[in-house]
Amino acid sequence: MSTLEQDGMPETLTTMRNGGVTMFKRIATVSLSLALVGGMLAGCGGNNGNDTSNNSGTNNGGAASDKPVTINMFTASPEYTDAFNAYIAEYKKVKPNVTINLEIMQADYNTVLKSKIASGSTPDVFQTTAGGDIDTFAEYSADLTSEPLAAAMTDGVRTNMTSSDGKVLGLPIKGNLMTLIYNKKLLTDAGIAEPPKTLTELNDDIAKLQAKDITPFANAYKEWWVWKHIFQHFVNAAAEDAGTTPKELVQQFIDGKTTFNDHPILKDNFFNFIDLTVKNGTDKPLERDSNAEVSDFAQGKAAFMTGKGAWDEEAIKKISPDIQIGIAGYPVSEKPEQALIVTGADQALRINKDSKVAREAIDFFNWLYTSDYGKQWFSSVAKVIPPIKDAPLPDLDMPKEMDEILKTGKSGDLSVNYSLDTFHQKFGEIMQAYIGKSKSKDQAISEIQTAWQQFGSAE
């Protein structure tokens, strides 16, 4: 429901926010089907593809496993179209009898998915956000707890895919990184040695950038989902100051047991930060979508990118291959230790438990998560942060910097997972109205608090 974004790129290869299952302004549906081919090829990862069938009484080798099977897969991740096609083609070598129909929708994905479910035509594989939505769609999701793919996940990612009753009901498309992104050269040109870690340092750096005629911020405030990726950094810091966890703090808001007045980082610091990015950002912020933000940043029109993450690096480098990208936590307070990057998995694929080909779909993803091909697919083909153990990082700047940061430091909680995307979308719309000056700060805060109680959880 993001993750899921760039001028100069094919429209079907826009990137996610994070990501979550994201609704886009443009609509493009791609239906891709690979025709059956004859002959079993002993290709890469072939043994893994066969071994996973031993987990099922309905697909245990023999004649049954050779019957033609079609798996319908419905996702909101157009930026991974080529990568998905690559693993579909590779799996054809392992299981020639399996055809995977891939349907990708950019706009109104949530609405269409719910319509499909309501009409009894739930796809064999579909995508949702992680966290709270793991429970929301639990009744439609196969239990993957005992599958090899669940064992292959990193501990943190598996937690993001686990329901409140302890079942693994989703599998991640990727690990993720949400961070303030910066152009190293532009900061150096302005005499800034390190990215800001406090709000005071941020104000100082804005002045230094402006003195060199460098626009500080590229924003994508036309998109509703970028707001959640910024806000979660402030939620994490507010929870720390309150002596609680981000999950507990979010639940307090959902239950109506706390308000922004109790948390100055949310009431003041967050809004001050947004005001700074608008005042010192690219023109017409409500007209700048994800594509425009990537283009602005890649062309050196701004020093920082807000609301984004590691998924954008390839798009940036397609425009500017030599750009030097850095990552940093958001300066959320006067405590430098609270400027943390955020990592985790915020999107999930679900296997329809009532699908006639549920076993074959599970076998497919067991293969992807455990085979030699699958381990390199994440880093070399999809070029994402692998959500599984024993897989290399992609040869990209942001994942490498993330790895270095985490060797000595820590990451912040992926607190977007503790609210549903129905809330996050409303939150984004309220913030758009705020920067468009049709809502005051007090009105925005009041409506956010109400939305949290109305849409924050599946209860």
Side-chain angles (χ1 to χ4, degrees), residues 168-438:
V168 177
L169 299 181
L171 54 109
I173 296 171
K174 56 184 169 56
N176 221 336
L177 164 68
M178 292 81 168
T179 177
L180 191 62
I181 302 168
Y182 65 93
N183 183 318
K184 290 183 176 181
K185 182 179 185 301
L186 292 184
L187 263 63
T188 299
D189 290 347
I192 302 170
E194 297 288 340
K197 292 186 176 181
T198 67
L199 291 173
T200 296
E201 290 176 358
L202 176 63
N203 278 285
D204 291 344
D205 290 348
I206 287 172
K208 290 177 181 177
L209 289 165
Q210 290 176 329
K212 294 291 185 179
D213 293 323
I214 300 170
T215 299
F217 296 101
N219 306 306
Y221 289 157
K222 184 178 180 180
E223 310 281 7
W224 65 264
W225 48 265
V226 301
W227 296 94
K228 67 180 180 179
H229 293 318
I230 301 172
F231 187 57
Q232 70 177 338
H233 294 265
F234 291 82
V235 169
N236 290 345
E240 181 181 19
D241 284 355
T244 187
T245 67
K247 185 174 184 178
E248 290 168 343
L249 178 60
V250 168
Q251 192 60 49
Q252 288 172 19
F253 274 107
I254 292 171
D255 294 339
K257 295 180 178 179
T258 191
T259 69
F260 275 51
N261 285 331
D262 300 322
H263 308 282
I265 284 182
L266 303 183
K267 181 183 178 183
D268 299 321
N269 296 15
F270 170 68
F271 282 90
N272 290 342
F273 177 84
I274 296 301
D275 291 344
L276 283 173
T277 65
V278 172
K279 180 181 178 181
N280 303 286
T282 45
D283 292 338
K284 300 180 179 179
L286 290 175
E287 296 180 20
R288 308 307 288 170
D289 63 7
S290 179
N291 294 350
E293 181 185 27
V294 167
S295 179
D296 290 340
F297 181 79
Q299 294 179 61
K301 294 180 180 180
F304 295 99
M305 270 181 71
T306 62
K308 296 301 213 58
W311 59 87
D312 273 325
E313 181 166 345
E314 275 218 290
I316 292 167
K317 290 195 169 177
K318 283 182 179 178
I319 298 171
S320 182
D322 297 326
I323 191 172
Q324 293 181 302
I325 299 173
I327 64 171
Y330 284 76
V332 296
S333 67
E334 294 306 320
K335 299 176 182 179
E337 66 272 16
Q338 289 186 329
L340 299 174
I341 62 173
V342 167
T343 61
D346 60 340
Q347 302 163 55
L349 291 177
R350 320 293 283 267
I351 295 171
N352 175 10
K353 69 178 179 62
D354 296 320
S355 166
K356 294 180 180 179
V357 295
R359 183 66 251 169
E360 288 81 1
I362 293 171
D363 289 346
F364 168 55
F365 286 106
N366 276 333
W367 165 81
L368 182 66
Y369 273 57
T370 62
S371 67
D372 290 339
Y373 173 83
K375 289 180 180 179
Q376 65 85 27
W377 177 86
F378 288 103
S379 57
S380 300
V381 182
K383 296 185 179 178
V384 297
I385 298 168
I388 59 174
K389 304 167 187 173
D390 303 321
L393 286 171
D395 187 21
L396 296 170
D397 292 343
M398 284 195 265
K400 288 179 180 178
E401 285 212 20
M402 177 199 74
D403 193 44
E404 287 301 312
I405 289 170
L406 297 182
K407 284 179 180 178
T408 56
K410 63 179 183 178
S411 68
D413 199 344
L414 190 64
S415 53
V416 294
N417 275 349
Y418 304 132
S419 303
L420 302 185
D421 253 13
T422 46
F423 162 73
H424 290 308
Q425 182 171 357
K426 185 65 175 177
F427 175 85
E429 292 167 355
I430 293 168
M431 290 305 301
Q432 288 166 339
Y434 167 73
I435 67 168
K437 302 189 183 304
S438 62

Side-chain angles (χ1 to χ4, degrees), residues 3 26 72 79 84 108 116 167 173 175 201 211 265 286 289 302 304 351:
T3 169
R26 301 186 183 100
N72 292 309
E79 69 274 29
F84 287 169
D108 297 328
K116 286 176 179 284
K167 296 177 182 178
I173 296 171
E201 290 176 358
I265 284 182
L286 290 175
D289 63 7
F304 295 99
I351 295 171

Side-chain angles (χ1 to χ4, degrees), residues 34 41-46 83-96 364 367-368 371 373-374 376-377:
L34 295 178
L41 301 177
C44 175
F84 287 169
N85 284 336
Y87 72 40
I88 289 170
E90 188 66 25
Y91 194 60
K92 182 63 68 175
K93 301 175 186 177
V94 177
K95 292 283 187 178
F364 168 55
W367 165 81
L368 182 66
S371 67
Y373 173 83
Q376 65 85 27
W377 177 86

